[in-house]
Amino acid sequence: MKKRIAFVTSSVKPDFATNDLHVVNSLRSSGAEVLPLPWDIETTEWDSFDLVVIRSCWNYHLHPEKFIKWIDSMEKKKVKMLNPLKIARWNLHKGYLNELQLKGIALPETIWLNKGSVADLSLLMNERKWSKAVVKPAISATAFNTLLVSNEDAWEQQKKFEEFLAQADMLVQKFMPEVQSQGEWSIIFFDKKFSHSVIKLPVAKDFRVQNDFGGIATPATPPEFAIEQAKKIISLIEEPLLYARVDGVISENRFLLMELELIEPVLFLEQKNGSAKTFANAIMDFINYN
């Protein structure tokens, strides 16, 4: 019988993400039926699928409470979903980074601020002797409400910072100049096995590596110690992972974790390295053997 697979998208872009078409075509070639379905359309019968794969629900960070309710409803229906719903809930809030740090994973220096708290941006930076910092919400995607702040303009950014902090938990993180000079690595895994990697560079004078802001991703292989650190991070997750993207920067011969993307990461499947087929095989294996 033909396997039915749903790729979770969103109402703002209900079709497949362009990058995901590579794995969709591979799945269809193997005889599977694959449909794109927005998470925020309530009429979908999710339990009619053999597997639901969270992929391009790129507006979830704008409606986090609604997204959590959707996750809750999927659990009640016992929908077979990957990555697991428990992982999606955990990975939604960047507090997971603090948990990983407590388990020995190196991050850039980070300050965690709760929604509604009061903080002086200049003071925070000066106390730690940071010349630049990145300010971002704990629930965010694609550099949403993210600022690069310097000592010189921190006072100008204070009002906006206070507005953000009144609305959400926030992170203030030491800026890593290596992002601009060397790039940020994305190390990609399927079924917890290393698949491929890219190096992402922002455009001149920017710090955002996302394609939306002109960032360029190039296939490349990081040093072995970076891959081993990424494997260590993945090994700390007890639940099964269909896919994972470990984002980080190399500084002073250490791999520092920036993000562990387990909900809706771009997986750079357009590369001619067999990754789309590997991803498709992992999907079918989960259906057939779990």
Side-chain angles (χ1 to χ4, degrees):
M1 183 180 295
K2 180 181 288 189
K3 300 299 183 182
R4 300 186 73 236
I5 303 167
F7 270 34
V8 180
T9 62
S10 72
S11 58
V12 295
K13 192 181 184 303
D15 204 355
F16 295 111
T18 302
N19 192 258
D20 279 345
L21 289 174
H22 302 277
V23 68
V24 170
N25 292 336
S26 184
L27 288 166
R28 287 174 172 169
S29 295
S30 68
E33 178 185 7
V34 192
L35 299 175
L37 294 168
W39 72 272
D40 47 353
I41 300 296
E42 297 180 2
T43 56
T44 302
E45 295 181 0
W46 297 103
D47 51 2
S48 68
F49 291 90
D50 294 288
L51 184 66
V52 176
V53 182
I54 307 177
R55 285 307 302 129
S56 53
C57 49
W58 290 333
N59 64 341
Y60 77 93
H61 63 291
L62 302 176
H63 313 282
E65 292 181 359
K66 183 177 180 180
F67 188 68
I68 290 172
K69 287 182 180 179
W70 176 74
I71 290 174
D72 291 343
S73 70
M74 299 289 272
E75 283 184 330
K76 289 178 181 177
K77 295 175 184 176
K78 297 182 178 180
V79 175
K80 191 174 183 180
M81 178 173 287
L82 293 169
N83 280 330
L85 291 162
K86 180 180 179 180
I87 287 295
R89 187 184 287 109
W90 177 75
N91 198 228
L92 177 70
H93 188 287
K94 296 186 196 304
Y96 75 82
L97 288 168
N98 192 34
E99 291 183 33
L100 291 175
Q101 186 176 42
L102 293 174
K103 293 180 179 180
I105 300 303
L107 314 176
E109 293 180 57
T110 303
I111 302 166
W112 312 85
L113 297 169
N114 293 327
K115 174 183 175 181
S117 58
V118 177
D120 185 298
L121 200 49
S122 293
L123 184 61
L124 291 177
M125 294 175 63
N126 289 332
E127 286 177 341
R128 291 158 181 82
K129 299 181 180 179
W130 296 350
S131 59
K132 290 183 180 180
V134 175
V135 176
K136 53 188 172 183
I139 298 179
S140 180
T142 322
F144 172 71
N145 280 356
T146 298
L147 304 173
L148 177 61
V149 181
S150 68
N151 278 329
E152 292 76 19
D153 65 9
W155 65 275
E156 294 179 9
Q157 303 276 26
Q158 179 66 25
K159 183 178 180 181
K160 187 175 290 186
F161 172 60
E162 291 173 356
E163 291 173 356
F164 290 167
L165 193 51
Q167 300 169 11
D169 296 344
M170 299 292 294
L171 283 68
V172 181
Q173 196 168 67
K174 181 182 178 181
F175 175 66
M176 305 303 297
E178 291 87 352
V179 171
Q180 292 177 322
S181 62
Q182 301 174 26
E184 178 183 284
W185 288 99
S186 283
I187 305 175
I188 296 154
F189 294 77
F190 298 124
D191 193 16
K192 295 190 175 181
K193 300 178 183 69
F194 171 65
S195 171
H196 60 289
S197 54
V198 300
I199 187 75
K200 302 174 297 185
L201 277 164
V203 297
K205 298 183 180 181
D206 205 334
F207 69 103
R208 297 167 298 186
V209 296
Q210 293 87 352
N211 176 262
D212 307 64
F213 305 104
I216 297 175
T218 304
T221 302
E224 187 63 28
F225 71 82
I227 296 176
E228 290 303 312
Q229 180 69 355
K231 288 179 179 178
K232 179 181 178 180
I233 293 165
I234 294 298
S235 72
L236 293 174
I237 309 300
E238 296 180 359
E239 290 76 14
L241 296 177
L242 175 60
Y243 55 85
R245 197 182 87 196
V246 182
D247 290 349
V249 63
I250 294 175
S251 177
E252 298 179 349
N253 293 317
R254 290 197 309 161
F255 181 81
L256 303 182
L257 177 65
M258 304 289 279
E259 301 277 359
L260 176 58
E261 298 277 7
L262 303 178
I263 298 178
E264 35 60 79
V266 173
L267 297 171
F268 305 102
L269 300 171
E270 73 279 6
Q271 313 299 340
K272 294 181 179 179
N273 55 11
S275 58
K277 182 64 176 176
T278 301
F279 189 20
N281 289 341
I283 290 172
M284 296 307 296
D285 285 346
F286 269 103
I287 292 175
N288 293 325
Y289 302 114
N290 291 276

